[in-house]
């Protein structure tokens, strides 16, 4: 199957705190795990992705971890800032599969 | 270079009318996706084109919805006999290949059915 579960659906954190969003998938053939950020009224944009040959990837304040055995992957945002407020979507795909998106997490960073 | 473009940006139509939404992907991108996003909701997959392969139409909600992609480039999403529940933002995205590449989204078409 191609389903992906994403949690939590909403998340509020104080500015400067960390935020973690988790996704679980079921298809063992999946090998590509991107994360998209959608600011209010704008289009989704890729912020980070990871492939199954690595377990963690960092880009400044954001990081993604992947556990292929458990079939879950997570987005970590450290030192959150108000501009991090947005909806975040996880996704996965593999081989010739289409990309399947999670249901989204609305992150609110409180100044 | 130019990104993904969509037209029109906004469309207001009366219930029962047909509408056509257009997507111009990034040149050279072989994969093209259509999604629907209702207010405050997630990305609902509609249809996926990849090269010359038969499209994956598994997300189309009813037979009122159809899409085509001519010459491996421009795509048109057609909604026949529109209903109020069709009101949403329709997003198109393209990528260089099959699923394991970044998707570049267009700005979307906001459809309002009155």
């Amino acid at each position: 199957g191609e389903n992906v579960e994403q949690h939590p659906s909403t998340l509020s954190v104080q500015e400067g705190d960390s935020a973690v969003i988790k996704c679980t998938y079921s298809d063992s053939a999946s090998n590509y795990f991107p994360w998209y950020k959608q600011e209010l009224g704008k289009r989704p944009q890729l912020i980070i992705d990871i492939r199954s040959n690595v377990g963690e990837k960092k880009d400044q304040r954001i990081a993604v971890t992947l556990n292929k055995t458990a079939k879950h992957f997570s987005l970590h945002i450290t030192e959150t800032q108000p501009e991090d407020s947005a909806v975040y979507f996880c996704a996965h795909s593999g081989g010739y599969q289409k990309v399947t998106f999670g249901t989204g997490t609305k992150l609110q960073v409180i100044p | 270079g130019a990104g993904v473009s969509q037209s029109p940006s906004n469309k207001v139509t009366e219930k029962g009318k047909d509408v056509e939404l257009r997507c111009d992907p990034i040149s050279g991108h072989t994969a093209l996706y259509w999604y629907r996003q209702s207010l405050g909701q997630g990305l609902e997959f509609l249809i996926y084109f990849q090269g010359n392969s038969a499209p994956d139409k598994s997300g189309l909600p009813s037979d009122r919805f159809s899409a085509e992609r001519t010459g491996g480039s421009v795509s048109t999403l057609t909604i026949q006999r529109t209903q109020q529940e069709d009101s949403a933002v329709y997003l198109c995205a393209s990528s260089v290949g099959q699923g394991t590449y970044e998707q570049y989204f267009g700005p979307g078409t906001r459809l309002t059915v009155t």
Side-chain angles (χ1 to χ4, degrees):
Chain A
E2 302 170 340
N3 293 335
V4 54
E5 294 185 3
Q6 182 171 347
H7 299 282
S9 57
T10 60
L11 180 59
S12 290
V13 299
Q14 293 290 329
E15 181 177 357
D17 287 351
S18 295
V20 181
I21 303 169
K22 298 182 179 180
C23 286
T24 304
Y25 63 100
S26 57
D27 191 342
S28 57
S30 293
N31 59 7
Y32 176 63
F33 306 89
W35 287 86
Y36 287 79
K37 175 183 181 182
Q38 187 177 27
E39 297 178 4
L40 188 63
K42 298 193 175 180
R43 70 192 81 180
Q45 290 190 300
L46 180 75
I47 55 170
I48 194 168
D49 57 14
I50 192 168
R51 298 184 187 272
S52 61
N53 56 337
V54 297
E56 182 175 3
K57 184 176 179 181
K58 279 187 176 181
D59 183 3
Q60 299 183 338
R61 295 185 299 107
I62 60 174
V64 57
T65 59
L66 171 64
N67 183 329
K68 283 217 78 179
T69 302
K71 295 192 179 68
H72 63 72
F73 56 112
S74 301
L75 178 71
H76 304 253
I77 306 174
T78 59
E79 301 171 26
T80 53
Q81 301 170 3
E83 53 264 37
D84 295 330
S85 296
V87 177
Y88 292 81
F89 294 98
C90 66
H92 72 107
S93 68
Y96 291 93
Q97 298 171 9
K98 66 179 182 291
V99 173
T100 299
F101 282 89
T103 49
T105 297
K106 184 175 182 180
L107 173 65
Q108 180 184 21
V109 180
I110 303 166
Chain B
V4 178
S5 61
Q6 293 185 245
S7 60
S9 55
N10 280 283
K11 176 71 176 179
V12 180
T13 190
E14 292 180 353
K15 178 181 172 181
K17 295 286 180 68
D18 297 351
V19 295
E20 284 190 354
L21 312 180
R22 177 186 168 107
C23 173
D24 283 88
I26 294 172
S27 178
H29 280 194
T30 61
L32 187 148
Y33 298 78
W34 282 98
Y35 299 93
R36 180 169 68 177
Q37 189 170 39
S38 300
L39 188 62
Q41 301 300 308
L43 298 166
E44 179 188 2
F45 165 75
L46 297 178
I47 189 168
Y48 165 49
F49 297 90
Q50 171 52 45
N52 296 321
S53 302
D56 180 342
K57 304 180 182 180
S58 60
L60 294 178
S62 76
D63 58 8
R64 296 188 296 106
F65 288 73
S66 63
E68 61 179 23
R69 188 177 186 192
T70 54
S73 181
V74 171
S75 178
T76 302
L77 177 69
T78 301
I79 308 173
Q80 296 179 312
R81 305 181 302 281
T82 51
Q83 304 294 314
Q84 288 187 329
E85 59 263 30
D86 300 335
S87 297
V89 175
Y90 289 80
L91 289 163
C92 172
S94 71
S95 67
V96 296
Q98 59 211 35
T100 57
Y101 295 95
E102 177 178 1
Q103 289 191 30
Y104 294 83
F105 284 82
T109 293
R110 182 175 298 278
L111 176 66
T112 303
V113 182
T114 61

